[in-house]
Amino acid sequence: MRSKALFLPVILAMCILLAGCGRKTVYDAKADPNEQLSAAVQKVRDEGTKKFVLMQIGGDWCPWCMRLEQLIEEDAELQAALNDKFERVHIYYGKDKKNTDFLRRFGSPQDHGVPVLVVLNVEDGTWRIHGTGIFEDGDGYDRDSLLAFFRTYGMSDDGGEAESVVQADAVVEAEEWAGEQ
């Protein structure tokens, strides 16, 4: 009987560990945010599109970050609207790696909580911070509000529900981001 009592907790622990091992990493704590941003900016320029770069700041440790990611990944219409206007990059923020110097260049958006979105206009170097609280609904996010944000971003003078608008010193040069580290 005693061996059965020890066996059950061991099996339970193994199941929990194995379930976590199969989970996809969304926010890579080891990634260099300067390189991530440079690649996204360069991709927009290479494609010759008028897309914005959407930096989604958070971490896999954050339940709200993962809820937002899950909603977007499981909804084809949200994905299409996002991909039509944005080149998205996930920038890690957590206790173990804060990326403070990088984020400070964008007004320390993590101070608004995570997840937080920073939208960069590659053409003129402006960026805006968008807290995700405006999309929250109960224990998740309001799909229709998020869809409207993705579809209409950049169509009006104010660009949506921006919390901050800042003019960068110059148009963002992909090479500069990696060199400013």
Side-chain angles (χ1 to χ4, degrees):
M1 185 69 164
R2 183 180 167 134
S3 64
K4 287 182 182 178
L6 292 174
F7 185 69
L8 185 59
V10 169
I11 294 297
L12 182 60
M14 287 177 58
C15 289
I16 291 170
L17 286 173
L18 289 175
C21 291
R23 194 175 74 199
K24 174 184 159 189
T25 298
V26 176
Y27 297 88
D28 184 356
K30 295 178 183 172
D32 180 336
N34 294 293
E35 290 176 10
Q36 290 178 284
L37 181 59
S38 292
V41 167
Q42 193 60 51
K43 184 174 181 184
V44 169
R45 288 186 173 156
D46 288 349
E47 291 174 353
T49 64
K50 294 193 181 271
K51 282 185 175 183
F52 299 94
V53 172
L54 175 73
M55 292 183 278
Q56 188 172 318
I57 299 159
D60 290 357
W61 56 268
C62 165
W64 282 97
C65 299
M66 299 313 290
R67 286 177 194 147
L68 179 61
E69 187 63 22
Q70 182 177 4
L71 176 63
I72 293 169
E73 290 301 315
E74 292 179 356
D75 189 309
E77 192 175 12
L78 276 174
Q79 281 184 35
L82 183 143
N83 292 334
D84 185 49
K85 292 245 178 140
F86 302 96
E87 181 63 35
R88 181 169 59 147
V89 61
H90 294 87
I91 303 294
Y92 183 82
Y93 175 81
K95 289 180 183 177
D96 55 328
K97 184 178 177 188
K98 296 184 187 251
N99 288 316
T100 308
D101 291 339
F102 174 82
L103 294 171
R104 191 175 299 125
R105 286 188 269 163
F106 300 98
S108 299
Q110 73 280 8
D111 293 348
H112 297 272
V114 293
V116 62
L117 308 176
V118 176
V119 180
L120 174 67
N121 182 331
V122 176
E123 288 185 354
D124 66 10
T126 58
W127 51 266
R128 296 174 186 246
I129 298 171
H130 299 270
T132 56
I134 60 172
F135 307 118
E136 289 179 13
D137 183 28
D139 289 337
Y141 291 96
D142 180 67
R143 175 205 180 272
D144 294 334
S145 295
L146 198 56
L147 183 60
F149 175 80
F150 291 155
R151 284 185 173 162
T152 62
Y153 195 87
M155 294 177 74
S156 64
D157 288 340
D158 67 2
E161 295 293 320
E163 293 177 14
S164 176
V165 180
V166 177
Q167 174 66 45
D169 292 336
V171 175
V172 177
E173 294 295 332
E175 303 79 35
E176 290 178 19
W177 292 106
E180 289 181 7
Q181 212 181 45

